[in-house]
Amino acid sequence: MAKYIGLQQRVYSIADVAFAAGGEATLYYVDNRPGLVAKIYKAGKNPREREDKLKTMVIHPPASTNEIAWPKDILYNSSGTFAGF
């Protein structure tokens, strides 16, 4: 399992095998976190502007996320580079 670090230093273990992929990112299940998935951007698809926008979304969530998908945390690889959410 790959390990990623969140904004508050929480460690997330991500499955080795993706369950879906698209042009910009790949989706993985998060170990021991039912209902959560990780979106990991492919190389060259994670510009700084995307990281800043996602940080703002995580810090300022809506009152309810029952009917929408909303990022819970930002993910960084072991080198501290933005990887996804």
Side-chain angles (χ1 to χ4, degrees):
M1 294 208 169
K3 304 257 188 229
Y4 291 89
I5 309 296
L7 287 173
Q8 303 298 318
Q9 303 305 306
R10 181 183 187 126
V11 177
Y12 295 90
S13 297
I14 308 300
D16 290 327
V17 178
F19 71 87
E24 72 176 10
T26 306
L27 299 176
Y28 299 88
Y29 291 110
V30 178
D31 189 41
N32 295 321
R33 300 291 309 268
L36 290 185
V37 299
K39 181 175 183 173
I40 305 299
Y41 291 103
K42 295 178 181 178
K45 299 289 183 178
N46 56 2
R48 177 75 186 188
E49 301 82 36
R50 182 173 283 136
E51 178 183 4
D52 292 341
K53 175 184 173 184
L54 288 164
K55 275 185 187 176
T56 299
M57 292 174 75
V58 167
I59 293 168
H60 303 287
S64 172
T65 59
N66 291 338
E67 297 181 22
I68 60 173
W70 197 267
K72 299 282 187 190
D73 208 346
I74 306 301
L75 301 177
Y76 298 89
N77 64 23
S78 59
S79 300
T81 303
F82 170 68
F85 64 95

